Amino acid sequence: MNDPVHRGMGAIDQGAAMVAQNIAFTLNQVACTVNVDPAMRLSDLLRDQLGLTGTKIGCSAGDCGACTVLLDGHQVCSCLVAAAQAEGRGVVTIEGLAQGGRLSELQRAFLAHGAAQCGICTPGMLMAATDLLTRKSDPSESQVCDALGGVLCRCTGYRKIIEAVLAVARGELDAPQPPAGAAVGSRIAKLDGLAKVTGSERYGADAAPVGALWLRVVRSPHERATFRIGDLQSFKQRHPGLLDVLTASDVPENSFGIFPQVKDQPVLADGHVRFRGEAVIALVGEYESVMAIHEADVPIEWQPQEPILDVEGALRGARPPLHALAPDNVLIRGRVVKGNVDEALVQAPHVTQGTFTTSLVEHAYIEPEAGYAERFMDEQGRDRIRIFACTQTPYMDRDEVARILKLNQGQVHIVPSAIGGGFGGKLDIAIQPLLAVAAWKLDRPVRCVYTRPESMLSTTKRHPAKMHARFACDDQGRLTATDFLGDFNTGAYASWGNTVANRVPIHASGPYFVPNVRALTRAVYTNGPIAGAFRGFGVPQSTIVHEALLDDLAEQIGMDRLEFRLLNAIRAGQSTATGQVLRASAGLHECLLHLKPAWVEASKRAAGFNARQEGLVGPLRGPRRGAGIACMWYGIGNTVIANPSTIRVGLRESGRVLLYNGAVDIGQGSSTILPQICADALGLPVHLFDQVMGDTDLTADAGKSSASRQTFVSGNAARFAGEALRKKLLAMLGVPADAEITLDGDVLMAQGVRVHLCSLATDAEGNVATGEGYFDPPTTPLDADGQGVPYATYGFAAQFAEVEVDLELGIVKVLSVHAAHDVGRAINPTQVEGQIHGGIAQGLGMALMEEYISGKTDNLHDYLIPTAGDIPPITVHIIEDAEPLGPYGAKGVGEPALIPTAPAILNAIRHATGVRITHVPATPDRVRAAILEQSR
Ligand code: FES
Ligand code: FES
C-alpha cells in the first residue's frame, strides 16, 4: 500500500515545461543518477522520485527549514534548490546520518535529551546541527542558535534541541533504562523517538496507496458571498485528467461541527460562504492535471456581500445573522456568579479595572494537513472507508465522517498518521471529510496535502478576545471581588467556541481565592477565520487580564507582586469561583515559594540596570529592564462533560507487552508516559512494551489529545489496565498479590513458578492475557450560576520573565524565564520540561509577535513565530503536589505551560517602562506608541 510519494506544494516556478535530463550526484554516500526536470525542487526529487520522505515539507518557500539537507556538507533548504544544482555534488539527508545501523552521536543525543517532540522539524534540525558539528565539534550556545536559526520548531521551545547539540561534545548521549517498578519518574527516551530521529516516521504526507488520485480544494476569495456554480461538464472536458469535481450536492450530510447541537459548517459551501478560505469545490484527478488548473477557469460566479468582521458589528445586527441558530450572532454565553460582586466592589478600598484585546493566533504547526482515504471491503465483506491523516482525535473523526457519509461508525476506519504538531488545530476535521466523500464516490484512493497558505487560511485559530474586568482587594491585599466580561470572536463557524465561552468564566478570577465573582462571556459569530481550540481554550487570553490587574492592586497597596499572589493563592480547602472546594493538589503556593529567591534577584537586577541607564542616557532613551510575574490554573480535561478513556494491554506469547493505546501522541509524549505508568502498574520493565496507537480498529477510545487530559485521564486508564493484567498473571501463576513478576524471554516467573508463554492459548489478537482500564474524571454539572464541579483536578503554575525594552525602538527582548509548575507528579521529567519550554515559546510568540491577518500573513514568512534565537534560558521548577485521583499523583502540563508566559512578559514590560500594554502582540510599534503616549 505504501507508495512513499509526496508531491510538494508546487514546483519551483518553471515557466515553460522543461525536458527531463540526467542528473548525477552522490546521495548519502552512494552514486545516484536520475532523469528528471532539472527545475524540480530537490525536496520533491528526494521525496517523490527517490522515496526519501525523511526530508519534510512545511512551506515550500524557504521559511520553515523542515526540508533542510546537506549539499556538499552545508545546510540548505532543499525546497529552494533545483535538482540540477545537485549535479556532481554530495547530498546527505536524514536517512544518511546513521551508519551501519548505528545512530550518529547527535541522533542519540536528540533521543536522550528529549529534543524531538512531534518530530516534524527533527530531520531539518539534525541536518543543520550536523553541519555545525562537522565544522565545530564543541560549539557555544550562541553558535548552536545561529546554526539552527533557519529551522522552525513549534513544539520544543528549542531548549532541548540546543541542549542535545551541546551534549554531543560532553558525550551525554544515552537516556536511562529503568528496571521494573521504576519507570514512573524516570527520564526515559521517547518510545516513539527512534523513527523521528531517523526520518522513518510517517506523517500525513508520507504515505498513500499506489495510484491515489489527488484532491485540490477551490476556496472562497471572499469573506461573505453567495455564488453559483456554472457548467462543470464542459469544465471537465477542458481538463483531461480531471476525473471529478465535487460540490455540496456530492456530500450525503453536508454539515459538521464539534457539538451535537451545532453542526453549522458545511464540508463544501452550498450557495454561500462565510469566510475567506471556505471550501467550495474539490477537484479530483491526476496530480499534474488538478494542480495545473487556474482558479479563474473554475466556473464559479460570485456575488460578494458586506462581511461582518468584528464582534461589535456582529452584535449590532445591522446585517442578516450568519446562522439561523444564532439570530443575534451569539453562539453561546458563559456565566459564573458567586457571592455579591456589586456590593463587594462598592465596599472595597482598592479597585482596579482595564480593557484588554488579543489577536488571532495561528497554530503554525510545521506539518500542514495531509492524508489519504480509500474505500475497501474488509474481511467480513463490509464496505468501508479508511482514512490515514494527521489528527488529534481519531474517534471523533470516525464518528463525524460516518455521519457525513451516512455510514455506520463501524464502516469508518481511522488510522492516525504521525502528527507534526497540533496544539488544538487538528482537533477539527479538515481534509478528512473531503477525502472521504471523494474516495467513497469514486471508489478510488484519494490523497491531499494542504499548502502552507491553504492550511493557514482555512483552519482554526486562537479566539481574538475583548475583555474588560474589575478586580478589588482589601487593605491587607486580600482579593474581594472579580467582575469579568469577555467577548470571543469565534469567526464563521462554531468549532470549539462553546468550550472557550464555558471554560473562560471558570478561570477568569485566576488561581486565587476570591469570595465574589461574576464572569460573563460570549462567543460571537463573524465572517472572520474560524476560531477554535488552541492550547488553553481561551484561558491564555483571560489570564492576561487578571495578571495585569493583580499587578495594579499590588502597586496600590504597596506590596511586592509575588507576595501579593502568594497571599491570595488558592489552597486546598478553599473554594473556587464555581464553589468547588479543592481537596488536594493545589500547589500554586509552593510554585511561588520556589520562584521567590530568583524573583528577588531579578527585581534587584532590573532596578540596578535601570538606575545605571538613567544615569547614562537620561529618561526615555536606551534600554530598560523589568521583571514580571504571572500565575495560572487550568482545569484538566473537558469542562463538565464526560471525558472517558479506555486503555488495554496484552502480554504476547513472545514475552513482549503490547499497549493498545488509543491516545494520539501529538508530540506531547503520551506514547511514552502511558507505557511508563502501565509498566509500573504491571510490574514489568517499560522497555518490554510495544504499542498500537490511535487506530480505531485496534484500540479502544482514549478520547482526544487535548485539554491536557491524556496523562491524567488516559494515564489512569493505563494504570488500571496494567493492574488488571497483573492480577490475571498473578492468578495464572498462583502467587500472592505482592509477588514480583519477571520475564526472561518468553518465560514468565514469580516466586519460583515458571510458565512458558508459548505453551498458553492466545486470544484472537495473539495475547495470552489482557487487562483493560477505564477512567472518567468525576465532575458535576454547573447550575445556572455556573456553580458545581467542572473539573476533577487543576494544574497550577507561576512564571516570571525578565525583559529588556528598547525605549526608542519598542523592541522587547526576553532575557530569561523561570517557570514553576505543579504537575502532581512528573511521570517523565524530561518531557515535562519539554512541554514547559514549548509552552513558553508559544506564550512568548503570543505576547510579542504572533498576529494572524487573513489574506496577509498566510505563510511562515509574514506570520512570525519564535526562532531558536528568540528563546531565552528557561529555568524549570517542577512542583509535585500529588493529585490523589491522578495516576501516581500526576495531572497534566500541556496547556498550563503556555498560559502564564504572555502575562508575565507584559507585566515585565510594564515594570521596565511603566507602560501597560493592553493589546497583544506587543509589537515594537505598539510598545513604542504606548511609551510615547505615556510621556505626553
Ligand atoms: S519546506 Fe523548505 S523551507 Fe519550508
Ligand atoms: S518537535 Fe519541532 S515542530 Fe514538533
Side-chain angles (χ1 to χ4, degrees), residues 116-122 152-156 366:
Q117 289 188 18
C118 83
I120 193 79
C121 72
T122 305
L152 295 177
C153 175
R154 192 56 159 164
C155 301
T156 64
I366 304 302

Side-chain angles (χ1 to χ4, degrees), residues 186-431:
S186 173
R187 292 177 177 268
I188 66 167
K190 213 166 151 45
L191 295 182
D192 58 348
L194 185 63
K196 297 180 193 302
V197 301
T198 56
S200 59
E201 188 76 288
R202 290 291 170 89
Y203 296 86
D206 294 341
V210 174
L213 300 171
W214 281 83
L215 182 146
R216 176 181 156 201
V217 185
V218 177
R219 300 183 176 278
S220 168
H222 304 288
E223 285 144 338
R224 187 173 193 170
T226 57
F227 66 89
R228 200 182 69 78
I229 296 175
D231 183 357
L232 291 179
Q233 211 48 44
S234 66
F235 173 63
K236 274 196 264 186
Q237 283 165 2
R238 287 199 304 278
H239 297 282
L242 173 64
L243 297 192
D244 204 353
V245 181
L246 303 178
T247 66
S249 63
D250 291 301
V251 187
E253 175 61 56
N254 192 20
S255 67
F256 67 92
I258 301 302
F259 296 94
Q261 71 278 17
V262 196
K263 301 290 182 189
D264 61 353
Q265 186 168 357
V267 176
L268 289 167
D270 192 0
H272 64 288
V273 291
R274 295 183 176 91
F275 76 103
R276 182 193 286 123
E278 181 155 3
V280 177
I281 274 178
L283 309 174
V284 187
E286 304 300 333
Y287 179 82
E288 284 74 15
S289 308
V290 165
M291 298 304 163
I293 294 169
H294 199 286
E295 292 214 355
D297 197 26
V298 181
I300 305 175
E301 286 172 28
W302 293 103
Q303 288 291 330
Q305 298 176 331
E306 190 68 23
I308 299 171
L309 291 179
D310 53 28
V311 165
E312 289 76 13
L315 296 175
R316 265 199 306 276
R319 287 184 285 282
L322 272 82
H323 296 273
L325 65 86
D328 55 357
N329 287 321
V330 177
L331 165 67
I332 190 169
R333 290 173 166 79
R335 173 184 169 89
V336 167
V337 176
K338 177 176 94 164
N340 188 333
V341 170
D342 293 324
E343 192 178 306
L345 284 168
V346 167
Q347 290 177 358
H350 305 282
V351 179
T352 185
Q353 62 180 320
T355 300
F356 300 82
T357 51
T358 69
S359 301
L360 282 161
V361 185
E362 156 68 20
H363 298 89
Y365 28 73
I366 304 302
E367 180 205 25
E369 291 71 9
Y372 72 83
E374 61 181 346
R375 188 172 180 172
F376 68 105
M377 260 326 154
D378 74 6
E379 285 152 2
Q380 286 88 47
R382 288 183 300 169
D383 194 6
R384 302 183 69 197
I385 187 133
R386 175 181 296 120
I387 299 173
F388 172 87
C390 47
T391 178
Q392 293 181 237
T393 174
Y395 277 86
M396 284 175 69
D397 288 5
R398 180 198 66 178
D399 297 352
E400 202 67 343
V401 168
R403 195 181 148 277
I404 289 164
L405 289 186
K406 295 189 173 173
L407 301 176
N408 299 322
Q409 290 170 354
Q411 287 178 271
V412 180
H413 180 198
I414 303 291
V415 183
S417 67
I419 180 166
F423 318 114
K426 291 174 182 167
L427 283 170
D428 296 65
I429 51 175
I431 56 168

